[in-house]
Amino acid sequence: MTQPQPSKVPQVQSPKFGFNDYAERLNGRAAMIGFILTLAIEYFTGQDLLTWLSLH
């Protein structure tokens, strides 16, 4: 006796929250932008980030 097969394959979308490819890609891009901005601040001001923020 065989099981009946479904007539359609469900279209499941991956969640936008949690540990998934979308979240990891977004986090990686945000980290790259932050790193580049930190380098730009240090280059244009001649100070490291902590001194520029008056935390050092």
Side-chain angles (χ1 to χ4, degrees):
M1 194 157 152
T2 61
Q3 294 284 337
Q5 297 298 318
S7 60
K8 288 185 180 180
V9 177
Q11 299 293 328
V12 180
Q13 294 180 347
S14 63
K16 299 294 182 192
F17 301 102
F19 294 106
N20 57 40
D21 291 337
Y22 175 78
E24 294 298 320
R25 193 176 312 120
L26 185 63
N27 187 29
R29 289 176 182 166
M32 288 186 276
I33 291 170
F35 183 72
I36 296 299
L37 287 175
T38 301
L39 290 177
I41 287 170
E42 291 185 5
Y43 178 76
F44 289 117
T45 64
Q47 301 175 350
D48 62 73
L49 183 66
L50 293 178
T51 303
W52 185 72
L53 291 172
S54 301
L55 297 175
H56 186 263

